[in-house]
Amino acid sequence: MARSRAAYEYTEAEDKSMRLGFLLIAAGLLSLLGLGCCWLRPALQERGGGGSANCTVLAVRQLGERFACTFSCGAACRGTARYPCLQVLVRTSRSPAPALLHEDERQLRTNPKCSYIPPCARDDQENSENVTYKQKYWKEKVGSQPFTCYFNQHLRPDDVMLKRTHDETVLLHCFLWPVVTFLVGVLIVVLTICAKSLAVRAEAIKKKKHL
């Protein structure tokens, strides 16, 4: 019995391999749990009740109201500038009522009153020029041409998005890498156990031949 137990004792390299495997298994499970609670669940809630539609521009306008944004000019340099509010009103193929267009869900959460947030520059005039350029784009280049937009009737029935932040590719990667980490950990543990078992059997057969 003592010899059998000694034969199945893992070497230092095998012990490190087992620890690595269990570490990867734990990391994969914790990643799935963390992403599911903190990121994936809200993303699925945003997608729930949503869909795509064809949008047509109804009006493009700048409001008199200006909003603050934070610019960065170095590691320890930050400041506040302002930009005008651009609104793009569209009609969707799902509803005749006008809806406010947004770049994506992140922009909608940051400023639900506007359709566009320019990259924040230190100069207010530069921010205004960026917004005016975007206004000309929607008026002249897009005009009355239909384009695909996305909506969520449950969360924001009066708003539509030009693109989704949480698309299928991001959701796939959210699942893929934790699962791959978990499976690699399982594979390392199984291969280490199998290699040890084969080594013990080979040693036992070798001893029998010498008897």
Side-chain angles (χ1 to χ4, degrees):
M1 286 291 292
R3 288 181 180 178
S4 177
R5 255 189 247 123
Y8 273 95
E9 287 182 359
Y10 291 103
T11 63
E12 185 178 352
E14 291 168 340
D15 187 56
K16 287 181 178 179
S17 179
M18 291 286 286
R19 289 181 182 179
L20 176 61
F22 286 124
L23 180 64
L24 291 175
I25 291 172
L29 290 175
L30 289 175
S31 297
L32 277 175
L33 182 62
L35 288 171
C37 294
C38 302
W39 193 91
L40 184 59
R41 186 177 176 183
L44 292 176
Q45 286 177 346
E46 285 183 4
R47 293 175 60 86
S52 62
N54 288 326
C55 281
T56 307
V57 175
L58 291 176
V60 183
R61 64 194 184 192
Q62 283 193 35
L63 301 182
E65 189 176 1
R66 286 176 169 262
F67 291 88
C69 64
T70 303
F71 64 84
S72 176
C73 49
C77 176
R78 286 181 174 273
T80 302
R82 304 188 77 81
Y83 64 92
C85 182
L86 175 68
Q87 287 190 338
V88 180
L89 299 176
V90 299
R91 178 185 288 118
T92 71
S93 57
R94 298 294 185 99
S95 172
L100 183 61
L101 180 69
H102 300 272
E103 291 281 321
D104 52 27
E105 290 96 341
R106 188 179 293 111
Q107 184 268 312
L108 171 61
R109 289 193 297 268
T110 303
N111 190 341
K113 289 188 69 174
C114 304
S115 297
Y116 174 66
I117 300 176
C120 194
R122 175 183 285 186
D123 186 11
D124 290 358
Q125 182 61 33
E126 185 177 344
N127 292 327
S128 297
E129 290 173 358
N130 287 334
V131 172
T132 301
Y133 175 81
K134 184 65 71 170
Q135 182 179 6
K136 289 181 179 179
Y137 168 81
W138 284 107
K139 274 188 174 180
E140 299 172 7
K141 291 191 176 181
V142 178
S144 59
Q145 298 178 14
F147 58 92
T148 302
C149 60
Y150 302 91
F151 63 92
N152 193 313
Q153 292 177 338
H154 298 330
L155 296 180
R156 305 287 303 198
D158 298 326
D159 298 279
V160 294
M161 274 71 68
L162 186 61
K163 58 185 177 182
R164 279 176 170 158
T165 305
H166 308 299
D167 58 11
E168 287 81 2
T169 304
V170 177
L171 295 178
L172 174 63
H173 283 287
C174 186
F175 272 118
L176 178 62
W177 299 115
V179 170
V180 169
T181 303
F182 174 80
L183 292 178
V184 169
V186 171
L187 184 63
I188 290 174
V189 171
V190 170
L191 289 178
T192 303
I193 293 174
C194 289
K196 184 64 177 180
S197 177
L198 290 174
V200 170
R201 289 183 182 180
E203 184 68 23
I205 293 173
K206 185 178 179 181
K207 287 181 179 179
K208 285 182 180 179
K209 286 182 179 180
H210 286 290
L211 292 175

Short mmCIF file of all heavy atoms in Angstrom, two decimals, residues 132-188:
data_model
loop_
_atom_site.label_atom_id
_atom_site.label_comp_id
_atom_site.label_asym_id
_atom_site.label_seq_id
_atom_site.Cartn_x
_atom_site.Cartn_y
_atom_site.Cartn_z
N THR A 132 -21.39 70.85 -36.67
CA THR A 132 -21.93 71.40 -37.93
C THR A 132 -21.61 70.47 -39.10
O THR A 132 -22.44 70.28 -40.00
CB THR A 132 -21.35 72.79 -38.19
OG1 THR A 132 -21.69 73.65 -37.09
CG2 THR A 132 -21.90 73.39 -39.47
N TYR A 133 -20.41 69.90 -39.10
CA TYR A 133 -20.05 68.94 -40.15
C TYR A 133 -20.97 67.73 -40.13
O TYR A 133 -21.44 67.26 -41.18
CB TYR A 133 -18.60 68.49 -39.98
CG TYR A 133 -18.18 67.41 -40.93
CD1 TYR A 133 -17.80 67.71 -42.24
CD2 TYR A 133 -18.18 66.07 -40.54
CE1 TYR A 133 -17.42 66.72 -43.13
CE2 TYR A 133 -17.81 65.07 -41.42
CZ TYR A 133 -17.44 65.39 -42.71
OH TYR A 133 -17.07 64.40 -43.60
N LYS A 134 -21.26 67.23 -38.93
CA LYS A 134 -22.17 66.09 -38.81
C LYS A 134 -23.58 66.48 -39.24
O LYS A 134 -24.29 65.68 -39.87
CB LYS A 134 -22.16 65.59 -37.37
CG LYS A 134 -23.00 64.35 -37.13
CD LYS A 134 -22.45 63.14 -37.87
CE LYS A 134 -21.17 62.64 -37.28
NZ LYS A 134 -20.77 61.31 -37.86
N GLN A 135 -23.98 67.70 -38.95
CA GLN A 135 -25.30 68.17 -39.38
C GLN A 135 -25.40 68.21 -40.91
O GLN A 135 -26.41 67.78 -41.50
CB GLN A 135 -25.56 69.58 -38.81
CG GLN A 135 -26.92 70.15 -39.16
CD GLN A 135 -27.13 71.51 -38.54
OE1 GLN A 135 -26.22 72.09 -37.94
NE2 GLN A 135 -28.32 72.05 -38.66
N LYS A 136 -24.35 68.70 -41.58
CA LYS A 136 -24.34 68.72 -43.05
C LYS A 136 -24.36 67.31 -43.62
O LYS A 136 -24.97 67.05 -44.65
CB LYS A 136 -23.11 69.48 -43.55
CG LYS A 136 -23.17 70.98 -43.33
CD LYS A 136 -21.91 71.65 -43.88
CE LYS A 136 -21.98 73.15 -43.68
NZ LYS A 136 -20.75 73.82 -44.19
N TYR A 137 -23.67 66.40 -42.94
CA TYR A 137 -23.64 65.01 -43.40
C TYR A 137 -25.05 64.43 -43.44
O TYR A 137 -25.46 63.82 -44.44
CB TYR A 137 -22.75 64.19 -42.48
CG TYR A 137 -22.87 62.69 -42.69
CD1 TYR A 137 -22.20 62.06 -43.72
CD2 TYR A 137 -23.67 61.91 -41.83
CE1 TYR A 137 -22.32 60.69 -43.92
CE2 TYR A 137 -23.79 60.55 -42.03
CZ TYR A 137 -23.12 59.95 -43.07
OH TYR A 137 -23.26 58.60 -43.27
N TRP A 138 -25.81 64.62 -42.38
CA TRP A 138 -27.16 64.06 -42.32
C TRP A 138 -28.10 64.77 -43.28
O TRP A 138 -29.00 64.16 -43.87
CB TRP A 138 -27.71 64.13 -40.90
CG TRP A 138 -27.13 63.07 -40.01
CD1 TRP A 138 -26.22 63.24 -39.02
CD2 TRP A 138 -27.40 61.67 -40.07
NE1 TRP A 138 -25.89 62.04 -38.45
CE2 TRP A 138 -26.61 61.05 -39.08
CE3 TRP A 138 -28.22 60.88 -40.87
CZ2 TRP A 138 -26.63 59.69 -38.86
CZ3 TRP A 138 -28.24 59.51 -40.64
CH2 TRP A 138 -27.45 58.93 -39.65
N LYS A 139 -27.89 66.06 -43.48
CA LYS A 139 -28.77 66.81 -44.37
C LYS A 139 -28.47 66.54 -45.84
O LYS A 139 -29.38 66.31 -46.65
CB LYS A 139 -28.64 68.31 -44.09
CG LYS A 139 -29.52 68.83 -42.98
CD LYS A 139 -29.44 70.35 -42.92
CE LYS A 139 -30.43 70.89 -41.90
NZ LYS A 139 -30.37 72.37 -41.83
N GLU A 140 -27.18 66.59 -46.21
CA GLU A 140 -26.81 66.56 -47.61
C GLU A 140 -26.45 65.17 -48.13
O GLU A 140 -26.84 64.80 -49.23
CB GLU A 140 -25.64 67.52 -47.85
CG GLU A 140 -25.98 68.98 -47.51
CD GLU A 140 -24.77 69.88 -47.55
OE1 GLU A 140 -23.68 69.40 -47.98
OE2 GLU A 140 -24.88 71.06 -47.17
N LYS A 141 -25.69 64.41 -47.34
CA LYS A 141 -25.23 63.10 -47.84
C LYS A 141 -26.27 61.99 -47.60
O LYS A 141 -26.42 61.09 -48.43
CB LYS A 141 -23.90 62.73 -47.18
CG LYS A 141 -22.76 63.61 -47.63
CD LYS A 141 -21.42 63.06 -47.18
CE LYS A 141 -20.28 63.91 -47.72
NZ LYS A 141 -18.95 63.38 -47.32
N VAL A 142 -26.93 62.04 -46.48
CA VAL A 142 -27.94 61.01 -46.20
C VAL A 142 -29.29 61.47 -46.75
O VAL A 142 -29.93 60.77 -47.53
CB VAL A 142 -28.04 60.73 -44.69
CG1 VAL A 142 -29.14 59.70 -44.41
CG2 VAL A 142 -26.71 60.22 -44.16
N GLY A 143 -29.72 62.67 -46.36
CA GLY A 143 -30.96 63.22 -46.88
C GLY A 143 -32.15 62.31 -46.61
O GLY A 143 -32.42 61.91 -45.48
N SER A 144 -32.85 61.95 -47.71
CA SER A 144 -34.04 61.11 -47.59
C SER A 144 -33.75 59.64 -47.84
O SER A 144 -34.67 58.83 -47.95
CB SER A 144 -35.12 61.60 -48.57
OG SER A 144 -34.63 61.54 -49.90
N GLN A 145 -32.47 59.26 -47.94
CA GLN A 145 -32.12 57.85 -48.18
C GLN A 145 -32.40 57.02 -46.93
O GLN A 145 -31.99 57.39 -45.83
CB GLN A 145 -30.65 57.72 -48.55
CG GLN A 145 -30.26 58.44 -49.82
CD GLN A 145 -28.77 58.31 -50.11
OE1 GLN A 145 -28.09 57.47 -49.52
NE2 GLN A 145 -28.27 59.14 -51.00
N PRO A 146 -33.08 55.89 -47.08
CA PRO A 146 -33.33 55.04 -45.91
C PRO A 146 -32.05 54.33 -45.45
O PRO A 146 -31.16 54.04 -46.24
CB PRO A 146 -34.37 54.03 -46.43
CG PRO A 146 -34.15 53.99 -47.90
CD PRO A 146 -33.70 55.36 -48.31
N PHE A 147 -31.95 54.07 -44.17
CA PHE A 147 -30.81 53.37 -43.60
C PHE A 147 -31.30 52.50 -42.45
O PHE A 147 -32.39 52.71 -41.92
CB PHE A 147 -29.73 54.35 -43.13
CG PHE A 147 -30.21 55.34 -42.10
CD1 PHE A 147 -30.09 55.09 -40.74
CD2 PHE A 147 -30.80 56.53 -42.50
CE1 PHE A 147 -30.54 55.99 -39.80
CE2 PHE A 147 -31.24 57.45 -41.55
CZ PHE A 147 -31.11 57.18 -40.21
N THR A 148 -30.49 51.55 -42.06
CA THR A 148 -30.87 50.62 -40.99
C THR A 148 -30.62 51.27 -39.63
O THR A 148 -29.55 51.85 -39.39
CB THR A 148 -30.07 49.32 -41.08
OG1 THR A 148 -30.30 48.72 -42.36
CG2 THR A 148 -30.49 48.33 -40.00
N CYS A 149 -31.59 51.16 -38.75
CA CYS A 149 -31.44 51.65 -37.38
C CYS A 149 -31.98 50.59 -36.43
O CYS A 149 -32.63 49.63 -36.85
CB CYS A 149 -32.17 52.99 -37.18
SG CYS A 149 -33.95 52.89 -37.50
N TYR A 150 -31.71 50.77 -35.15
CA TYR A 150 -32.10 49.78 -34.14
C TYR A 150 -32.90 50.46 -33.03
O TYR A 150 -32.68 51.63 -32.71
CB TYR A 150 -30.85 49.12 -33.55
CG TYR A 150 -30.00 48.45 -34.60
CD1 TYR A 150 -28.97 49.14 -35.23
CD2 TYR A 150 -30.26 47.14 -34.99
CE1 TYR A 150 -28.20 48.54 -36.22
CE2 TYR A 150 -29.49 46.53 -35.98
CZ TYR A 150 -28.47 47.24 -36.59
OH TYR A 150 -27.73 46.65 -37.57
N PHE A 151 -33.83 49.73 -32.47
CA PHE A 151 -34.71 50.30 -31.46
C PHE A 151 -34.93 49.30 -30.34
O PHE A 151 -34.63 48.11 -30.46
CB PHE A 151 -36.05 50.69 -32.08
CG PHE A 151 -36.82 49.51 -32.63
CD1 PHE A 151 -37.75 48.85 -31.84
CD2 PHE A 151 -36.61 49.07 -33.92
CE1 PHE A 151 -38.44 47.76 -32.33
CE2 PHE A 151 -37.30 47.97 -34.42
CZ PHE A 151 -38.22 47.32 -33.62
N ASN A 152 -35.48 49.80 -29.24
CA ASN A 152 -35.88 48.96 -28.12
C ASN A 152 -37.18 49.53 -27.57
O ASN A 152 -37.19 50.55 -26.89
CB ASN A 152 -34.81 48.93 -27.02
CG ASN A 152 -35.06 47.84 -26.00
OD1 ASN A 152 -36.18 47.68 -25.52
ND2 ASN A 152 -34.04 47.07 -25.68
N GLN A 153 -38.27 48.88 -27.90
CA GLN A 153 -39.59 49.39 -27.55
C GLN A 153 -39.84 49.40 -26.05
O GLN A 153 -40.61 50.21 -25.55
CB GLN A 153 -40.68 48.57 -28.24
CG GLN A 153 -40.69 48.73 -29.75
CD GLN A 153 -41.73 47.85 -30.42
OE1 GLN A 153 -42.14 46.85 -29.85
NE2 GLN A 153 -42.13 48.22 -31.62
N HIS A 154 -39.18 48.50 -25.30
CA HIS A 154 -39.42 48.41 -23.86
C HIS A 154 -38.64 49.47 -23.09
O HIS A 154 -39.18 50.11 -22.18
CB HIS A 154 -39.05 47.03 -23.35
CG HIS A 154 -39.86 45.93 -23.96
ND1 HIS A 154 -41.16 46.12 -24.39
CD2 HIS A 154 -39.56 44.62 -24.21
CE1 HIS A 154 -41.63 44.98 -24.88
NE2 HIS A 154 -40.67 44.06 -24.79
N LEU A 155 -37.36 49.67 -23.44
CA LEU A 155 -36.52 50.57 -22.68
C LEU A 155 -36.62 52.02 -23.16
O LEU A 155 -36.79 52.93 -22.36
CB LEU A 155 -35.05 50.11 -22.76
CG LEU A 155 -34.74 48.75 -22.13
CD1 LEU A 155 -33.27 48.43 -22.27
CD2 LEU A 155 -35.13 48.74 -20.66
N ARG A 156 -36.49 52.25 -24.48
CA ARG A 156 -36.50 53.61 -25.02
C ARG A 156 -37.36 53.63 -26.28
O ARG A 156 -36.86 53.58 -27.40
CB ARG A 156 -35.07 54.05 -25.36
CG ARG A 156 -34.07 53.95 -24.24
CD ARG A 156 -34.24 55.00 -23.19
NE ARG A 156 -34.18 56.34 -23.71
CZ ARG A 156 -33.95 57.41 -22.96
NH1 ARG A 156 -33.78 57.27 -21.66
NH2 ARG A 156 -33.92 58.61 -23.48
N PRO A 157 -38.68 53.73 -26.14
CA PRO A 157 -39.56 53.67 -27.31
C PRO A 157 -39.44 54.89 -28.23
O PRO A 157 -39.81 54.81 -29.40
CB PRO A 157 -40.96 53.58 -26.70
CG PRO A 157 -40.82 54.17 -25.33
CD PRO A 157 -39.43 53.83 -24.88
N ASP A 158 -38.93 56.03 -27.73
CA ASP A 158 -38.85 57.24 -28.54
C ASP A 158 -37.46 57.49 -29.10
O ASP A 158 -37.19 58.57 -29.63
CB ASP A 158 -39.27 58.46 -27.70
CG ASP A 158 -40.71 58.34 -27.22
OD1 ASP A 158 -41.54 57.78 -27.97
OD2 ASP A 158 -41.00 58.79 -26.09
N ASP A 159 -36.55 56.51 -28.98
CA ASP A 159 -35.17 56.67 -29.46
C ASP A 159 -34.79 55.48 -30.32
O ASP A 159 -35.25 54.35 -30.11
CB ASP A 159 -34.20 56.76 -28.28
CG ASP A 159 -34.47 57.97 -27.40
OD1 ASP A 159 -34.04 59.06 -27.76
OD2 ASP A 159 -35.16 57.81 -26.36
N VAL A 160 -33.92 55.74 -31.30
CA VAL A 160 -33.36 54.68 -32.13
C VAL A 160 -31.85 54.86 -32.20
O VAL A 160 -31.34 55.97 -31.98
CB VAL A 160 -33.97 54.67 -33.56
CG1 VAL A 160 -35.44 54.32 -33.51
CG2 VAL A 160 -33.75 56.00 -34.25
N MET A 161 -31.14 53.78 -32.48
CA MET A 161 -29.69 53.80 -32.54
C MET A 161 -29.20 53.50 -33.95
O MET A 161 -29.79 52.69 -34.66
CB MET A 161 -29.09 52.76 -31.59
CG MET A 161 -28.91 53.24 -30.16
SD MET A 161 -30.47 53.44 -29.27
CE MET A 161 -31.03 51.77 -29.13
N LEU A 162 -28.11 54.18 -34.32
CA LEU A 162 -27.50 53.93 -35.61
C LEU A 162 -26.75 52.60 -35.61
O LEU A 162 -26.67 51.91 -36.63
CB LEU A 162 -26.54 55.08 -35.96
CG LEU A 162 -25.90 55.06 -37.34
CD1 LEU A 162 -26.97 55.12 -38.43
CD2 LEU A 162 -24.93 56.22 -37.49
N LYS A 163 -26.18 52.24 -34.48
CA LYS A 163 -25.49 50.95 -34.35
C LYS A 163 -25.63 50.47 -32.92
O LYS A 163 -25.89 51.26 -32.01
CB LYS A 163 -24.02 51.07 -34.75
CG LYS A 163 -23.25 52.08 -33.94
CD LYS A 163 -21.84 52.23 -34.46
CE LYS A 163 -21.08 53.31 -33.67
NZ LYS A 163 -19.71 53.50 -34.19
N ARG A 164 -25.41 49.21 -32.72
CA ARG A 164 -25.49 48.61 -31.39
C ARG A 164 -24.10 48.47 -30.81
O ARG A 164 -23.16 48.06 -31.48
CB ARG A 164 -26.15 47.23 -31.47
CG ARG A 164 -27.67 47.28 -31.53
CD ARG A 164 -28.20 45.89 -31.71
NE ARG A 164 -29.65 45.84 -31.53
CZ ARG A 164 -30.41 44.88 -32.02
NH1 ARG A 164 -29.86 43.89 -32.71
NH2 ARG A 164 -31.71 44.88 -31.82
N THR A 165 -23.99 48.80 -29.52
CA THR A 165 -22.73 48.58 -28.82
C THR A 165 -22.54 47.10 -28.53
O THR A 165 -21.46 46.55 -28.70
CB THR A 165 -22.72 49.36 -27.49
OG1 THR A 165 -22.98 50.74 -27.77
CG2 THR A 165 -21.36 49.25 -26.81
N HIS A 166 -23.63 46.44 -28.11
CA HIS A 166 -23.56 45.01 -27.75
C HIS A 166 -24.10 44.19 -28.93
O HIS A 166 -25.24 43.78 -28.94
CB HIS A 166 -24.40 44.74 -26.50
CG HIS A 166 -24.07 45.65 -25.36
ND1 HIS A 166 -22.83 45.70 -24.79
CD2 HIS A 166 -24.82 46.57 -24.70
CE1 HIS A 166 -22.82 46.59 -23.81
NE2 HIS A 166 -24.01 47.13 -23.75
N ASP A 167 -23.25 43.96 -29.92
CA ASP A 167 -23.70 43.15 -31.05
C ASP A 167 -23.40 41.68 -30.80
O ASP A 167 -22.85 41.29 -29.78
CB ASP A 167 -23.08 43.62 -32.36
CG ASP A 167 -21.55 43.59 -32.32
OD1 ASP A 167 -21.00 43.01 -31.36
OD2 ASP A 167 -20.93 44.12 -33.24
N GLU A 168 -23.76 40.82 -31.78
CA GLU A 168 -23.60 39.38 -31.59
C GLU A 168 -22.15 38.97 -31.42
O GLU A 168 -21.83 38.04 -30.67
CB GLU A 168 -24.21 38.63 -32.79
CG GLU A 168 -25.72 38.63 -32.83
CD GLU A 168 -26.30 39.93 -33.39
OE1 GLU A 168 -25.50 40.82 -33.79
OE2 GLU A 168 -27.54 40.06 -33.44
N THR A 169 -21.22 39.67 -32.10
CA THR A 169 -19.80 39.32 -31.99
C THR A 169 -19.28 39.54 -30.58
O THR A 169 -18.55 38.72 -30.03
CB THR A 169 -18.98 40.16 -32.99
OG1 THR A 169 -19.51 39.98 -34.30
CG2 THR A 169 -17.53 39.74 -32.97
N VAL A 170 -19.66 40.68 -29.98
CA VAL A 170 -19.21 40.97 -28.62
C VAL A 170 -19.79 39.96 -27.63
O VAL A 170 -19.10 39.48 -26.73
CB VAL A 170 -19.62 42.40 -28.23
CG1 VAL A 170 -19.24 42.69 -26.78
CG2 VAL A 170 -18.96 43.42 -29.14
N LEU A 171 -21.06 39.62 -27.80
CA LEU A 171 -21.68 38.64 -26.92
C LEU A 171 -21.02 37.27 -27.07
O LEU A 171 -20.84 36.53 -26.10
CB LEU A 171 -23.18 38.53 -27.23
CG LEU A 171 -24.00 39.79 -26.95
CD1 LEU A 171 -25.45 39.56 -27.35
CD2 LEU A 171 -23.92 40.19 -25.50
N LEU A 172 -20.63 36.92 -28.32
CA LEU A 172 -19.95 35.65 -28.55
C LEU A 172 -18.62 35.61 -27.81
O LEU A 172 -18.30 34.63 -27.13
CB LEU A 172 -19.73 35.44 -30.05
CG LEU A 172 -18.90 34.22 -30.45
CD1 LEU A 172 -19.59 32.93 -30.03
CD2 LEU A 172 -18.64 34.21 -31.95
N HIS A 173 -17.83 36.68 -27.91
CA HIS A 173 -16.54 36.73 -27.23
C HIS A 173 -16.72 36.72 -25.72
O HIS A 173 -15.87 36.21 -24.99
CB HIS A 173 -15.77 37.97 -27.66
CG HIS A 173 -15.14 37.85 -29.02
ND1 HIS A 173 -14.04 37.05 -29.26
CD2 HIS A 173 -15.48 38.39 -30.21
CE1 HIS A 173 -13.71 37.13 -30.54
NE2 HIS A 173 -14.58 37.93 -31.14
N CYS A 174 -17.82 37.28 -25.25
CA CYS A 174 -18.10 37.28 -23.82
C CYS A 174 -18.21 35.86 -23.28
O CYS A 174 -17.79 35.58 -22.16
CB CYS A 174 -19.40 38.05 -23.56
SG CYS A 174 -19.78 38.29 -21.82
N PHE A 175 -18.76 34.96 -24.08
CA PHE A 175 -18.86 33.55 -23.69
C PHE A 175 -17.61 32.77 -24.07
O PHE A 175 -17.16 31.90 -23.32
CB PHE A 175 -20.06 32.91 -24.39
CG PHE A 175 -21.35 33.04 -23.64
CD1 PHE A 175 -22.41 33.73 -24.19
CD2 PHE A 175 -21.50 32.49 -22.37
CE1 PHE A 175 -23.60 33.86 -23.50
CE2 PHE A 175 -22.68 32.62 -21.67
CZ PHE A 175 -23.73 33.30 -22.24
N LEU A 176 -17.06 33.06 -25.25
CA LEU A 176 -16.03 32.21 -25.83
C LEU A 176 -14.78 32.10 -24.96
O LEU A 176 -14.34 31.00 -24.63
CB LEU A 176 -15.66 32.74 -27.22
CG LEU A 176 -14.55 31.99 -27.96
CD1 LEU A 176 -14.97 30.54 -28.21
CD2 LEU A 176 -14.20 32.69 -29.25
N TRP A 177 -14.18 33.24 -24.58
CA TRP A 177 -12.89 33.19 -23.91
C TRP A 177 -12.94 32.59 -22.51
O TRP A 177 -12.04 31.81 -22.15
CB TRP A 177 -12.25 34.58 -23.91
CG TRP A 177 -12.01 35.06 -25.31
CD1 TRP A 177 -12.59 36.11 -25.94
CD2 TRP A 177 -11.15 34.45 -26.29
NE1 TRP A 177 -12.17 36.21 -27.24
CE2 TRP A 177 -11.28 35.20 -27.48
CE3 TRP A 177 -10.30 33.36 -26.28
CZ2 TRP A 177 -10.58 34.89 -28.64
CZ3 TRP A 177 -9.60 33.03 -27.43
CH2 TRP A 177 -9.74 33.80 -28.59
N PRO A 178 -13.94 32.89 -21.69
CA PRO A 178 -14.02 32.17 -20.41
C PRO A 178 -14.20 30.67 -20.57
O PRO A 178 -13.62 29.87 -19.82
CB PRO A 178 -15.24 32.80 -19.72
CG PRO A 178 -15.35 34.16 -20.31
CD PRO A 178 -14.93 34.00 -21.73
N VAL A 179 -15.00 30.27 -21.58
CA VAL A 179 -15.22 28.83 -21.82
C VAL A 179 -13.93 28.18 -22.29
O VAL A 179 -13.58 27.07 -21.86
CB VAL A 179 -16.35 28.62 -22.84
CG1 VAL A 179 -16.41 27.16 -23.29
CG2 VAL A 179 -17.69 29.03 -22.25
N VAL A 180 -13.19 28.86 -23.18
CA VAL A 180 -11.91 28.32 -23.65
C VAL A 180 -10.93 28.18 -22.49
O VAL A 180 -10.23 27.16 -22.37
CB VAL A 180 -11.31 29.25 -24.75
CG1 VAL A 180 -9.87 28.87 -25.05
CG2 VAL A 180 -12.14 29.16 -26.02
N THR A 181 -10.89 29.19 -21.62
CA THR A 181 -10.01 29.12 -20.44
C THR A 181 -10.38 27.93 -19.55
O THR A 181 -9.50 27.18 -19.09
CB THR A 181 -10.12 30.42 -19.63
OG1 THR A 181 -9.78 31.54 -20.46
CG2 THR A 181 -9.18 30.40 -18.43
N PHE A 182 -11.67 27.75 -19.32
CA PHE A 182 -12.15 26.62 -18.50
C PHE A 182 -11.76 25.28 -19.14
O PHE A 182 -11.25 24.38 -18.46
CB PHE A 182 -13.66 26.72 -18.33
CG PHE A 182 -14.28 25.56 -17.63
CD1 PHE A 182 -14.23 25.45 -16.25
CD2 PHE A 182 -14.90 24.54 -18.36
CE1 PHE A 182 -14.80 24.37 -15.60
CE2 PHE A 182 -15.47 23.46 -17.72
CZ PHE A 182 -15.41 23.37 -16.34
N LEU A 183 -11.99 25.15 -20.45
CA LEU A 183 -11.70 23.88 -21.13
C LEU A 183 -10.20 23.58 -21.17
O LEU A 183 -9.80 22.42 -21.04
CB LEU A 183 -12.27 23.91 -22.54
CG LEU A 183 -13.80 23.91 -22.65
CD1 LEU A 183 -14.23 24.00 -24.11
CD2 LEU A 183 -14.39 22.67 -22.00
N VAL A 184 -9.38 24.60 -21.35
CA VAL A 184 -7.92 24.40 -21.32
C VAL A 184 -7.48 23.90 -19.94
O VAL A 184 -6.64 23.00 -19.82
CB VAL A 184 -7.19 25.70 -21.71
CG1 VAL A 184 -5.69 25.57 -21.43
CG2 VAL A 184 -7.41 26.02 -23.18
N GLY A 185 -8.06 24.50 -18.90
CA GLY A 185 -7.74 24.04 -17.54
C GLY A 185 -8.13 22.59 -17.32
O GLY A 185 -7.35 21.80 -16.76
N VAL A 186 -9.34 22.21 -17.76
CA VAL A 186 -9.79 20.83 -17.64
C VAL A 186 -8.87 19.90 -18.42
O VAL A 186 -8.49 18.81 -17.94
CB VAL A 186 -11.25 20.69 -18.14
CG1 VAL A 186 -11.65 19.22 -18.22
CG2 VAL A 186 -12.20 21.44 -17.23
N LEU A 187 -8.48 20.33 -19.62
CA LEU A 187 -7.60 19.50 -20.46
C LEU A 187 -6.25 19.28 -19.79
O LEU A 187 -5.71 18.15 -19.81
CB LEU A 187 -7.42 20.18 -21.82
CG LEU A 187 -6.61 19.41 -22.86
CD1 LEU A 187 -7.30 18.10 -23.22
CD2 LEU A 187 -6.40 20.26 -24.11
N ILE A 188 -5.69 20.33 -19.18
CA ILE A 188 -4.39 20.19 -18.51
C ILE A 188 -4.49 19.20 -17.35
O ILE A 188 -3.62 18.33 -17.18
CB ILE A 188 -3.90 21.57 -18.01
CG1 ILE A 188 -3.51 22.45 -19.20
CG2 ILE A 188 -2.71 21.41 -17.06
CD1 ILE A 188 -3.15 23.87 -18.82
#
